[in-house]
Amino acid sequence: MALKITVIGTGYLGATHAAAMAELGFEVLGLDVVPEKIEMLQRGEVPMYEPGLEELLRKHVAGIEGSTGRLRFTMDWAEVGEFGDVHFVCVNTPQKHGEYACDMSYVDAAFETLAPHLKGPALVVGKSTVPVGSAERLARTLAELSPAGEDAELAWNPEFLREGFAVQDTLHPDRLVAGVRSERAEKILREVYATPVSEGSPFVVTDFPTAELVKTSANSFLATKISFINAMAEVCEAAGGDVALLAEAIGHDERIGKKFLRAGIGFGGGCLPKDIRAFMARAGELGADQALTFLREIDSINMRRRGQMVEMAREALGGGSFLGKRVAVLGATFKPDSDDVRDSPALNVAGQIHLQGGQVTVYDPKGMANAKRLFPTLGYADSAVGAVRGADVVLHLTEWREFRELDPAVLGEAASARVLLDGRNALDPEVWRRAGWTYRAMGRPTA
Ligand code: UDX
């Protein structure tokens, strides 16, 4: 008998995971505590923009014409307990208000609510990003609260999906990590992931703490890479070098690699910033804070970038105040191919300039609704040209393909001055200069 799977929490991670599990051939039941989310998903609609996800959902959600019917959604915990052999916990762990540590209340609530409904053999699999040591504690919660007792077991299986590539990363993961305490748990996870493993995804079996740490250390490494190149950008600014050429040259060393070495206004989003902070907080609790003090520097290099972009814009406008100046901002999301504006460097820069009296007009291909909700006082335009109309300076802050394909001549007609600041080092300076623009990018004073 094929395993039956439930997915608890249908946000970014959970919705994608549920659809991917159905795609792999399993019967899947997704649960969320927010009725609106469940209603949307039942109609085959996704609450966020993620390429390919809506198609995948519609392919499997029961009740949609032509679907396999393998994917259903519910709000009923008893139904979930009854249905599943494997329960994936995919709820979010946001940063606590006013603290570095992460808020475990959604994870704790999920375990405490699910456990009493586990009456027979079940594997509960944590996927949420949690502080190391949580799995150990949650295993005790399960043992205490499940009628199934030892038959209800825990495994930890962190998720590495990137926004914008969530479907691909879930169906074809570059590695699978299984934190387990028994052969049975490992066997079940191998069965769940048989397809990607057969296609070559490495399957790494670990204990609980290692599985939890793989996730936070991977994100710390990525954040470090970005802040490293951004620190080099600062040095290039001071020394008259070109960080883009520098990144290309060091990237030829295979040990360093080319990826994640794009200097600019830095990282944001719902993961990297809060994950490195939660990691520092947890290391402190464990008495290992010294090991991670470097992450404090990574964080501050990253946050400093936003202020430097603001200063670069001020300089481009003559060095004085932003009062009465018109500033076009291209991009609001924290990265392209996403509508996510959580801790977005682009919106942060736009907001800072606005608060200093600049007249900011923002355009983003997919993030407008979320940006307006978060920053209702900024100006918004419904196209790039619209945002640029009458602008004294144009800031390119999220590297959407749409912006690379813009015609600098057309934008030049609309702008009141042809000054472009590339906060992502993603546009071609030559193309813009040929159209009469002054092009300036971070870390490339000589480019
Ligand atoms: C990240 C991890 O990549 C993923 O494995 C984990 O599961 C969740 O966190 P995501 O938040 O989707 O994924 O974003 P990512 O693609 O890592 O980009 C993070 C930020 O870094 C973005 O704001 C991006 O613009 C920025 N970035 C990325 C750079 O500034 N320079 C780079 O070279 C690469």
Side-chain angles (χ1 to χ4, degrees), residues 10 29-33 38 42 72-77 79-80:
T10 59
L29 182 61
L31 175 139
D32 206 287
V33 294
I38 291 297
Q42 278 168 338
R72 291 185 301 112
F73 293 96
T74 184
M75 294 188 67
D76 182 349
W77 289 89
E79 190 186 355
V80 162

Side-chain angles (χ1 to χ4, degrees), residues 1 45 147 161 174 392 396:
M1 266 278 280
E45 293 165 21
L161 64 81
D174 51 17
D392 300 306
H396 174 246

Side-chain angles (χ1 to χ4, degrees), residues 112-128:
E112 284 158 18
T113 319
L114 174 67
H117 296 288
L118 300 176
K119 305 203 168 108
L123 184 67
V124 181
V125 185
K127 272 192 128 20
S128 308

Side-chain angles (χ1 to χ4, degrees), residues 80-387:
V80 162
E82 179 72 24
F83 178 89
D85 302 304
V86 185
H87 305 274
F88 284 98
V89 178
C90 297
V91 297
N92 63 336
T93 50
Q95 187 176 340
K96 266 192 199 162
H97 195 70
E99 277 181 56
Y100 270 15
C102 86
D103 177 356
M104 285 291 286
S105 60
Y106 303 109
V107 176
D108 291 344
F111 274 81
E112 284 158 18
T113 319
L114 174 67
H117 296 288
L118 300 176
K119 305 203 168 108
L123 184 67
V124 181
V125 185
K127 272 192 128 20
S128 308
T129 301
V130 296
V132 60
S134 302
E136 163 94 50
R137 181 174 61 78
L138 292 164
R140 282 198 302 273
T141 306
L142 267 189
E144 279 162 24
L145 301 181
S146 318
E150 286 189 355
D151 279 348
E153 206 187 325
L154 182 68
W156 212 263
N157 169 224
E159 180 57 57
F160 307 105
L161 64 81
R162 297 162 295 169
E163 294 189 15
F165 299 89
V167 170
Q168 186 194 323
D169 285 350
T170 308
L171 287 173
H172 311 286
D174 51 17
R175 80 287 209 187
L176 289 152
V177 174
V180 293
R181 280 181 164 172
S182 75
E183 280 176 19
R184 176 180 83 124
E186 179 184 338
K187 189 169 156 280
I188 293 174
L189 280 176
R190 282 190 185 276
E191 202 173 324
V192 169
Y193 293 117
T195 305
V197 169
S198 75
E199 290 167 1
S201 294
F203 189 90
V204 184
V205 179
T206 71
D207 48 48
F208 282 174
T210 308
E212 294 165 309
L213 284 169
V214 169
K215 169 72 190 204
T216 37
S217 66
N219 277 356
S220 299
F221 192 84
L222 295 172
T224 302
K225 245 188 141 176
I226 299 171
S227 277
F228 171 82
I229 201 65
N230 282 332
M232 293 308 112
E234 288 183 12
V235 179
C236 283
E237 288 276 352
D242 182 333
V243 74
L245 291 175
L246 181 140
E248 188 195 329
I250 62 172
H252 285 302
D253 184 330
E254 274 179 18
R255 293 167 303 175
I256 297 174
K258 286 188 190 316
K259 290 183 183 154
F260 262 63
L261 283 185
R262 204 168 9 79
I265 55 173
F267 60 80
C271 290
L272 296 192
K274 68 120 177 141
D275 285 354
I276 63 171
R277 291 173 195 155
F279 198 19
M280 282 186 267
R282 183 61 184 141
E285 290 167 6
L286 293 169
D289 39 344
Q290 233 186 353
L292 297 189
T293 44
F294 76 97
L295 285 179
R296 210 171 279 281
E297 197 53 36
I298 297 308
D299 199 5
S300 69
I301 292 170
N302 187 56
M303 296 309 284
R304 191 150 86 211
R305 302 304 285 166
R306 304 171 181 192
Q308 280 159 353
M309 187 72 225
V310 174
E311 288 321 305
M312 207 170 164
R314 188 196 311 284
E315 233 169 77
L317 290 167
S321 117
F322 282 109
L323 273 177
K325 302 288 187 191
R326 287 169 168 266
V327 179
V329 168
L330 301 182
T333 53
F334 84 102
K335 68 187 259 185
D337 297 314
S338 162
D339 64 358
D340 196 343
V341 298
R342 284 177 296 171
D343 199 6
S344 165
L347 262 193
N348 182 301
V349 168
Q352 286 193 53
I353 295 177
H354 166 73
L355 290 173
Q356 294 182 39
Q359 284 185 44
V360 180
T361 308
V362 179
Y363 166 72
D364 188 278
K366 294 285 177 199
M368 298 290 274
N370 287 340
K372 283 179 188 169
R373 221 169 290 138
L374 198 65
F375 266 106
T377 51
L378 292 174
Y380 291 93
D382 49 22
S383 68
V385 183

